[in-house]
Amino acid sequence: MKHLVKLLAGLGLVLILSACSQQDADETSAAITTETAEEFVARANAELAELNRKREAAEWVRATYITLDTAIIASAASEAYAEWHSSMVKQALQYEDEDLDAMTRRAIDLLKLGTTLPTPADAAKRKELTMIATELEGMYGAGRYCRDGKDCKALPELEDVLANSRDYDALTNAWQGWRTIAPPMRQKYQRYVELVNEGANELGYGDLGEMWRAGFDMSPADFEQETARLWEQVKPLYDELHCHVRAKLGETYGTDKVPQDGPIPAHLLGNMWSQGWSFIYDLIEPYPGVADLDVDSTLKKKNFSPQEMVRSAENFYVSLGMPRLPDTFWERSQFTKPRDREVVCHASAWGIDGGNDLRIKMCIKQTYDELRTIYHELGHNYYQGAYKDQPRLFQGGANGGFHEAIGDTVTLSMTPQYLAEVGLVAAAGESEEAVINRQMQMALDKIAFLPFGKLIDEWRWGVFSGEIAPENYNAAWWNLRTQYQGITPPVPRSEADFDPGAKFHVPANVSYTRYFLAHILQFQFQRSLCEIAGHEGDLASCSVFGNEEAGDRFYAMMASGQSEPWQDALEKLTGTREMDATAIIDYFDPLMGYLKEQNEGRSCGW
Ligand code: X8Z
Ligand code: ZN
């Protein structure tokens, strides 16, 4: 074969080989000497299309039908991809010192970063890692908490308890119960860390954390500083909110349960991970009864179906001039939790077949929180649809934060006026008190999230670098949770627990800084869209619903995918090349006034 390659090369023929086995890889390395960098990139794009189609099919079936068999199918597909990826990165080395045009260089750089799960070249280890990764996500998806071996509850039911119960002990039980799914993950996770780090080393990164941080068009060290800078910008907002919420929870549960000089018990905030606090709005509402913000009750009263909820989100994007979702979206998506099998309920959006086969996978409940998640997921789908004509290697968000921010930006336009217009609340309140109520509702969602968004990867960066040793996994987790969020576990924790495993993105190997960035970026995007739409007045009162001019500019940025550095994409929409928290600070300016007033005389902090 090698001779044939040389012969063909001598004849000036281009040979396209796929690299699907060790032997093929050797042969390919002979063939590549005949390929220019441009040809190499074109081949990578073509092969990626084929491999991804198979991987996506296997992953979709796995996520919507968790069994031993689908684990085997999905990990085999992931293994095939990993093998191809390692081989291509090796082949790309030959272009390292060549003077390439910017697009070709970028495509090669992105190829190198083109996996979140770098696997070792050793075939047995690669197989082991892809299986562990598949199993970990499956363990999360199929997780159940059973009392005395019966009365088993899956995550959605336990989340309902956290959201709706105000009984301290019932909350403790659900909180603790969900975390019983994680200790069996601990050994596997530890092994996964060893193996992904080995894979990352082979790609030239110190560890997987460094590789994740390398995906932001700046050095990993600069990126770390950048996230620290953004956190410092928004921390004062969080501190005021924390102080006020702690005081209100003290009124509800008693200051013996919620000491006013320490962290808040994690299970009292309405959410399994204390990451968003909107479900305790009723306890915090600044001016009771002033504004009708109760979308939940409308959804229930009008008995909205999951499809109708998704339609409402789609209508928003269509109002911005974006296309309707294809029929296949409605046929192939999973909107509700199947009764007869285990699935991964954690919401996700899929851009299968290069964005030609868009789907969401959710277990939709009739709540406002879920409606916002639907808007969020469709943001991913519209992004995937917008960049589908880019070469495969450029089909991605300008950075991970952009991908998470599109749908969230749209949710910022779900103002009371918009909600009233589409019949989700009776009428929009315009008074100052109504504005503060609304701001509080938003803050419990958006500001409460910020430290959580920051710390998840800080924990993982430490784990991957070895700074956090396996025997400190849980203690380090709670140190960060307390340091950043000012929360504390309701019951003692130890290294027999593995609480990070009870949060989807950890067993599912999804990096998390993207959400932190998205919570900053979405306000920057919104500020620009509102300027384009000619909005006058407070940023918080702006909805771009129905504004095609804003929609066109947004879509133009989305259509460029990952073809240019995110700084360029950001500049085109916002005129600045920096992520910057002044927009979120402006947005919540009215609420900050209220919080500072409320917190006067209280001693804040923990
Ligand atoms: O995981 C998600 C989305 C899917 S990309 C539902 N989010 C984070 C989470 O749930 O932890 C959205 C906000 C944060
Ligand atoms: Zn998302």
Side-chain angles (χ1 to χ4, degrees):
M1 182 73 175
K2 277 184 185 159
H3 299 296
L4 177 64
V5 170
K6 279 191 189 135
L7 180 68
L8 292 173
L11 293 171
L13 295 177
V14 178
L15 192 63
I16 309 276
L17 286 178
S18 70
C20 289
S21 70
Q22 205 50 51
Q23 194 190 348
D24 275 355
D26 285 340
E27 289 171 356
T28 310
S29 58
I32 49 179
T33 56
T34 69
E35 260 180 334
T36 64
E38 290 76 14
E39 286 161 353
F40 171 78
V41 167
R43 177 164 67 83
N45 279 316
E47 290 179 359
L48 202 50
E50 182 63 24
L51 270 163
N52 272 348
R53 191 68 191 88
K54 288 191 185 133
R55 190 162 62 129
E56 290 152 355
E59 276 173 10
W60 177 267
V61 174
R62 166 68 178 167
T64 57
Y65 193 176
I66 302 174
T67 67
L68 173 64
D69 301 322
T70 58
I72 292 168
I73 293 167
S75 66
S78 150
E79 209 182 317
Y81 176 80
E83 192 171 353
W84 173 85
H85 183 257
S86 312
S87 156
M88 291 301 275
V89 171
K90 246 183 252 155
Q91 293 170 49
L93 283 176
Q94 67 183 312
Y95 308 110
E96 203 80 334
D97 302 323
E98 267 183 42
D99 196 15
L100 303 176
D101 68 85
M103 288 313 232
T104 307
R105 176 56 66 204
R106 185 166 177 80
I108 289 179
D109 289 347
L110 288 173
L111 172 69
K112 194 169 160 195
L113 287 164
T115 180
T116 48
L117 188 78
T119 60
D122 178 277
K125 286 182 177 171
R126 178 183 293 142
K127 196 182 192 67
E128 185 187 354
L129 176 56
T130 54
M131 193 42 127
I132 290 177
T134 305
E135 281 172 355
L136 282 170
E137 186 175 350
M139 287 167 81
Y140 184 95
R144 289 268 183 292
Y145 167 49
C146 307
R147 283 174 119 162
D148 308 321
K150 44 186 194 305
D151 183 25
C152 295
K153 286 197 169 71
L155 178 59
E157 298 161 82
L158 294 167
E159 284 188 275
D160 284 347
V161 177
L162 266 291
N164 303 318
S165 173
R166 302 291 177 248
D167 177 310
Y168 192 94
D169 295 332
L171 289 166
T172 308
N173 188 271
W175 188 96
Q176 193 174 2
W178 173 243
R179 284 162 178 76
T180 60
I181 67 139
M185 296 176 187
R186 191 187 249 267
Q187 284 302 319
K188 285 182 198 291
Y189 194 79
Q190 199 178 323
R191 181 70 180 143
Y192 143 93
V193 170
E194 286 166 15
L195 293 171
V196 279
N197 275 341
E198 211 174 305
N201 285 159
E202 287 176 23
L203 293 176
Y205 301 99
D207 61 69
L208 181 60
E210 187 188 308
M211 180 170 169
W212 282 0
R213 293 191 298 278
F216 290 89
D217 297 303
M218 59 174 77
S219 78
D222 285 351
F223 180 67
E224 196 170 343
Q225 271 187 14
E226 192 62 0
T227 58
R229 176 182 70 80
L230 293 169
W231 169 241
E232 286 306 318
Q233 268 190 295
V234 294
K235 189 173 178 299
L237 298 186
Y238 183 75
D239 288 345
E240 294 292 339
L241 184 67
H242 179 281
C243 191
H244 181 62
V245 166
R246 181 175 65 188
K248 299 302 272 185
L249 289 174
E251 287 169 23
T252 305
Y253 293 99
T255 50
D256 55 327
K257 296 257 186 342
V258 188
Q260 294 299 297
D261 55 359
I264 301 172
H267 61 320
L268 305 181
L269 292 159
N271 174 274
M272 186 57 87
W273 307 274
S274 330
Q275 68 180 70
W277 305 346
S278 57
F279 281 108
I280 57 162
Y281 175 72
D282 58 317
L283 305 180
I284 316 288
E285 190 173 27
Y287 301 102
V290 167
D292 174 16
L293 300 173
D294 190 359
V295 176
D296 282 26
S297 78
T298 314
L299 291 172
K300 294 197 169 80
K301 225 177 343 199
K302 297 192 176 170
N303 197 19
F304 264 67
S305 68
Q307 277 79 359
E308 285 166 326
M309 290 169 72
V310 179
R311 204 47 104 176
S312 133
E314 183 202 31
N315 287 340
F316 196 114
Y317 289 88
V318 170
S319 90
L320 297 177
M322 299 185 197
R324 288 227 162 260
L325 292 161
D327 290 346
T328 52
F329 169 88
W330 300 95
E331 290 154 17
R332 296 174 191 169
S333 288
Q334 176 197 290
F335 295 137
T336 31
K337 185 168 191 275
R339 261 176 288 186
D340 59 345
R341 60 182 196 266
E342 308 285 8
V343 301
V344 178
C345 272
H346 191 89
S348 53
W350 300 54
I352 296 174
D353 193 17
N356 288 305
D357 180 353
L358 301 171
R359 306 179 196 177
I360 60 170
K361 178 188 62 57
M362 287 185 68
C363 301
I364 297 175
K365 297 181 197 172
Q366 241 171 15
T367 66
Y368 182 33
D369 192 59
E370 289 278 283
L371 186 67
R372 290 196 304 266
T373 302
I374 296 169
Y375 279 66
H376 171 95
E377 296 307 330
L378 290 200
H380 289 306
N381 279 153
Y382 274 99
Y383 207 171
Q384 289 153 348
Y387 58 60
K388 78 178 166 58
D389 296 327
Q390 293 284 347
R392 288 295 164 133
L393 287 163
F394 293 155
Q395 291 186 10
N399 69 39
F402 279 58
H403 227 305
E404 298 303 335
I406 303 295
D408 279 10
T409 304
V410 171
T411 68
L412 296 181
S413 281
M414 297 170 83
T415 55
Q417 286 66 27
Y418 162 77
L419 293 170
E421 199 175 326
V422 298
L424 286 168
V425 296
E430 310 272 352
S431 69
E432 234 169 80
E433 294 186 342
V435 167
I436 296 297
N437 274 358
R438 166 69 183 169
Q439 287 243 306
M440 182 63 83
Q441 190 189 44
M442 295 295 286
L444 291 173
D445 189 29
K446 305 286 184 186
I447 295 180
F449 181 81
L450 292 163
F452 184 79
K454 176 80 174 69
L455 76 86
I456 302 296
D457 278 353
E458 209 156 306
W459 180 79
R460 276 190 292 197
W461 292 346
V463 164
F464 292 135
S465 76
E467 210 170 294
I468 297 173
E471 57 273 21
N472 290 324
Y473 277 174
N474 221 54
W477 172 260
W478 279 107
N479 283 343
L480 287 166
R481 295 268 267 165
T482 305
Q483 177 199 326
Y484 275 97
Q485 287 183 280
I487 60 166
T488 187
V491 286
R493 310 308 283 162
S494 77
E495 293 305 324
D497 301 303
F498 183 53
D499 295 328
K503 175 62 197 166
F504 172 76
H505 304 71
V506 174
N509 186 45
V510 180
S511 63
Y512 210 83
T513 310
R514 62 185 68 199
Y515 302 107
F516 174 67
L517 301 179
H519 275 68
I520 309 271
L521 281 169
Q522 62 190 264
F523 291 90
Q524 279 185 273
F525 291 169
Q526 179 71 352
R527 181 160 62 184
S528 297
L529 294 179
C530 291
E531 269 164 29
I532 296 163
H535 173 78
E536 281 167 19
D538 283 358
L539 182 54
S541 67
C542 167
S543 175
V544 298
F545 180 59
N547 192 296
E548 293 200 10
E549 220 181 319
D552 286 349
R553 285 282 297 280
F554 206 24
Y555 205 70
M557 179 183 82
M558 290 155 68
S560 56
Q562 218 174 350
S563 64
E564 57 191 2
W566 63 261
Q567 292 89 339
D568 293 353
L570 185 64
E571 189 171 18
K572 274 185 204 151
L573 182 66
T574 69
T576 159
R577 301 179 62 78
E578 291 230 318
M579 291 187 275
D580 159 44
T582 56
I584 185 173
I585 293 167
D586 280 0
Y587 185 99
F588 285 109
D589 187 55
L591 183 71
M592 280 309 114
Y594 170 83
L595 286 176
K596 283 190 176 139
E597 228 174 82
Q598 294 291 310
N599 289 335
E600 234 175 63
R602 289 176 180 153
S603 95
C604 297
W606 54 89

